[in-house]
Amino acid sequence: MDDNTPDIEITELRKLTQVIKDKYDYEFKDYAMSSFKRRIKRVLDLYKFKNVDKLINVLENNPDYFEEFVSEITVNVTEMFRDPTFWKVLKEQIIPNILLNHNKITVWHAGCSSGEEVVTMCAVLDELGALDKAKIIATDIDTAIINKAKNATYSMKNMEVNNKNYARYQGTRSLEYYFKETNGEAVVHKSLLENVSYRKHDLVQGAIFSKFDLILCRNVMIYFNQTLQNAVLNKLHESLFKYGYLAIGSKESLIWCEIANKFIVVNNEEKVYKKVKD
Amino acid sequence: MRYQVSNKYKAVVIGGSAGSFQGITQILANIPKDFPLPMFLCLHRLKHVRNGFVEALSIKSNKIVAEPFDKESVKKGGVYLAPANYHLCLELGNTLSLSTEELVNNSRPAIDLTFESASYVYRDKLIGILLSGANKDGAYGMMKIKEKGGMTIIQDPQESMINAMPNAALAATKIDHILTVNEIVNFLLELDKACRG
Ligand SMILES: C[S@@+](CC[C@H](N)C(=O)[O-])C[C@H]1O[C@@H](n2cnc3c(N)ncnc32)[C@H](O)[C@@H]1O
């Protein structure tokens, strides 16, 4: 790490989030402090802004820059079949359970990033012969990353880790079944993603827009503080049908959240919960 | 060498990479079960091996070593290990947070992030210990700890299996004590006494 920029003070971050709220109506004040501070520091380094005031100044005067800024402060790291054992549980228990009672399944990927998670879901559904029963919505706050998700084209370099994950998930095919290699890139077959619609949506300020059988919100709320986690969990809870499932990241937990009593744990290791109370 | 142990300290962070496993096991085997300060361990580890490491560290440890969940509260005397493939950070208000941000120094978890965030929260009440390792992760973190008035300790480069990491810290900032693992253990035992008053 380098240390060209001085420490960023909390008061500066407060000022920044207030300007963003006033001008763009996005609310970042309850993002987890240590990572948010590093994201801002990264932006200062990247654009050679000398301090937070300079960044504020640019945001105030260049509305065009805002989306790029959001893109830079969000953490988009993702993989296909990330946490392979989670996908195994989804395939063997959760999705079959949902389909036991309905002939349809609605899924929301909240914070889908570049879409690897969505491709994974479609592959799992396909392997279960249930892809045509699915309606999938994938959302993210970051416009650039949503476009990337729509494109569903990934560098072959990234496919290495994806392939390893797929092997650990013990898939019945090989991951290559789902894409075509063109110019060093893996282009996911369009037919696999036919039932997916991609939208920009902000979990913090955005309204509830539908109800789902299954919501994946994995490795998104770790960037929020507890206050915001509680608020977002309320929205996710409201967006689930009764007896619907919520999956969070394998290192996240509902235990100390206010809403915990409205869910039961379905799989503690893989962090899958079921809504049991409205 | 006399160390300045005192009961002002509130937390210990330990970083290590290649060649640090033995040292960290020895430390955990020798500090008492009720050592009062929380300890945060950031050790470089295999990315996709989620299980096994905590167990390996726990075998000889008097304390329970746990991989925390995101936003878990820090408990008195708790020992927290950065999970595979996540950065581990301290937040104001006594909670831990996890993140999958970019690799730092080619590492996730990165020692620099754990150390820097801990120095921000604990200020001059933090002790940073950096063990054997093959890159420069932790050097910047040690500098931050020093800037905030905390105490910096490295494993003696002579003793370290791979000394690039302790040496990088030495080059980056003032190091208060250069100790062998045995001496680090003794230091922690004296700290234990001091903190119990
Ligand atoms: C680390 S990625 C997680 C991707 C995927 N779910 C996974 O687990 O691999 C986190 C994503 O959350 C998105 N995000 C952050 N804040 C958000 C918000 N307020 N509303 C919607 N998405 C958000 C980021 O843009 C980023 O793409």
Side-chain angles (χ1 to χ4, degrees), chain A residues 86 89-90 93-102 105-109 121 211-217 236-237 239-248 254 263-267 271-276:
Chain A
F86 163 73
V89 166
L90 215 60
Q93 294 168 22
I94 310 299
I95 296 173
N97 251 321
I98 295 171
L99 289 171
L100 211 58
N101 302 317
H102 323 45
I105 172 169
T106 50
V107 182
W108 178 19
H109 293 268
M121 179 64 77
K211 289 232 178 204
F212 300 89
D213 299 307
L214 171 61
I215 299 178
L216 274 71
C217 188
L236 298 179
H237 172 266
S239 306
L240 275 175
F241 289 119
K242 199 170 177 188
Y243 307 119
Y245 294 88
L246 170 67
I248 58 179
L254 282 192
F263 288 93
I264 55 166
V265 181
V266 175
N267 188 310
K271 295 290 171 278
V272 183
Y273 299 85
K274 185 179 197 156
K275 170 171 168 176
V276 290

Side-chain angles (χ1 to χ4, degrees), chain B:
Chain B
M1 183 187 313
R2 279 324 296 160
Y3 343 96
Q4 293 292 308
V5 290
S6 92
N7 63 1
K8 84 164 189 182
Y9 294 103
K10 294 281 180 268
V12 179
V13 280
I14 302 181
S17 186
S20 69
F21 188 77
Q22 211 186 338
I24 192 76
T25 329
Q26 196 182 329
I27 290 170
L28 290 174
N30 286 288
I31 52 167
K33 196 177 166 60
D34 51 358
F35 182 75
L37 305 189
M39 298 196 357
F40 309 104
L41 315 180
C42 183
L43 307 170
H44 294 163
R45 50 190 293 191
L46 291 174
K47 183 178 165 212
H48 277 285
V49 185
R50 224 161 80 180
N51 302 318
F53 199 58
V54 170
E55 289 78 358
L57 283 178
S58 301
I59 292 174
K60 289 187 185 151
S61 171
N62 291 316
K63 288 195 163 265
I64 296 168
V65 180
E67 285 181 1
F69 287 104
D70 177 58
K71 306 293 156 12
E72 189 166 326
S73 303
V74 176
K75 289 197 193 67
K76 186 180 177 215
V79 180
Y80 303 94
L81 172 72
N85 215 9
Y86 286 88
H87 295 301
L88 172 69
C89 293
L90 274 293
E91 299 283 336
L92 292 174
N94 225 25
T95 58
L96 290 153
S97 64
L98 301 175
S99 150
T100 58
E101 277 158 82
E102 296 80 0
L103 307 184
V104 173
N105 306 313
N106 263 316
S107 314
R108 191 171 55 221
I111 301 167
D112 276 344
L113 298 199
T114 306
F115 280 21
E116 181 179 22
S117 62
S119 78
Y120 186 76
V121 170
Y122 290 101
R123 307 256 154 189
D124 62 337
K125 300 178 179 62
L126 179 70
I127 296 168
I129 302 177
L130 194 62
L131 305 174
S132 167
N135 69 3
K136 67 177 176 72
D137 193 20
Y140 171 85
M142 290 290 258
M143 183 174 90
K144 286 289 159 186
I145 293 175
K146 199 69 249 172
E147 271 176 21
K148 297 280 191 296
M151 183 190 282
T152 49
I153 297 174
I154 55 169
Q155 182 180 7
D156 191 337
Q158 304 253 314
E159 183 195 58
S160 302
M161 198 134 80
I162 300 172
N163 61 19
M165 222 158 78
N167 276 337
L170 206 49
T173 187
K174 180 175 174 291
I175 298 300
D176 295 310
H177 304 294
I178 300 176
L179 305 177
T180 63
V181 170
N182 270 331
E183 289 168 330
I184 292 173
V185 166
N186 286 335
F187 167 82
L188 291 171
L189 290 177
E190 285 191 33
L191 183 69
D192 177 57
K193 260 187 249 151
C195 289
R196 287 160 200 260

Side-chain angles (χ1 to χ4, degrees), chain A residues 31 74-78 82 111 113 117 140 202-203 218-219:
Chain A
Y31 273 55
T74 51
V75 176
N76 303 125
V77 177
T78 186
R82 184 179 195 167
S113 190
E117 191 183 87
D140 202 285
D202 172 14
L203 278 166
R218 309 188 73 222
N219 305 299

